[in-house]
Amino acid sequence: MKKRIKKSLKKAFIGLAKVTPMILAVIGLVGLFKAYVTPQMLQSLFNGDLIHDELIGVFAGAVSIGQPFLSYIIGGELLKDGVSYYAVTAFILSFVTLGVVQLPLQIEVFGKRFTIIVNVLSLIFSVIVSVATVWTLKVWGLI
């Protein structure tokens, strides 16, 4: 029994050692994005066209990954500056669910095929859910 525990711990530490450089790289890249990509920069990307704004929202969110509470603050500021609900909703969804910066780590941990499938589905559903959310809010008269 002790031999199996030792073997399992050894495998776990080897796995952790393999992934540690990728984790540190992701933390560094996320820090750079947080420092250099401001909400004002994101606001300048939107031009008022719904399809354009939604796609820009999805891709801006995917590149500037973050936590939900932070996305709500940024989304609120974008709404104050006149960015469409479609763009803000798409941004919030992709900000939390997609992560281009994390792709190398995800591929290392989960495998290439799984990572690509998950991220493509997250991209598609970010667009679909943002449209459905805004439509629902309009039907209920909340916006």
Side-chain angles (χ1 to χ4, degrees):
M1 182 75 163
K2 285 184 181 183
K3 191 174 184 177
R4 287 186 5 199
I5 292 173
K6 268 186 168 179
K7 187 176 177 182
S8 296
L9 285 173
K10 184 178 178 181
K11 279 187 176 183
F13 283 118
I14 290 171
L16 181 62
K18 281 184 176 180
V19 177
T20 298
M22 296 296 281
I23 291 172
L24 293 175
V26 167
I27 290 170
L29 288 172
V30 169
L32 286 173
F33 274 103
K34 298 275 186 215
Y36 292 108
V37 178
T38 65
Q40 293 79 17
M41 293 168 90
L42 293 174
Q43 292 166 16
S44 68
L45 295 172
F46 303 104
N47 69 5
D49 178 53
L50 293 180
I51 294 171
H52 176 265
D53 281 1
E54 187 158 341
L55 291 176
I56 294 296
V58 167
F59 290 113
V63 171
S64 57
I65 58 171
Q67 299 297 319
F69 71 90
L70 187 58
S71 70
Y72 304 142
I73 295 167
I74 295 170
E77 293 301 315
L78 291 171
L79 285 174
K80 284 180 188 176
D81 289 337
V83 176
S84 72
Y85 281 95
Y86 290 102
V88 172
T89 307
F91 173 78
I92 289 171
L93 287 166
S94 63
F95 189 74
V96 176
T97 61
L98 289 170
V100 174
V101 174
Q102 295 178 348
L103 283 178
L105 176 61
Q106 290 177 0
I107 289 170
E108 180 75 28
V109 174
F110 301 119
K112 188 175 186 177
R113 184 173 185 263
F114 179 80
T115 300
I116 290 170
I117 290 171
V118 166
N119 280 279
V120 167
L121 288 174
S122 293
L123 177 77
I124 292 167
F125 282 108
S126 290
V127 173
I128 293 170
V129 170
S130 68
V131 170
T133 300
V134 174
W135 181 80
T136 303
L137 290 171
K138 285 182 178 181
V139 166
W140 287 96
L142 298 172
I143 57 172

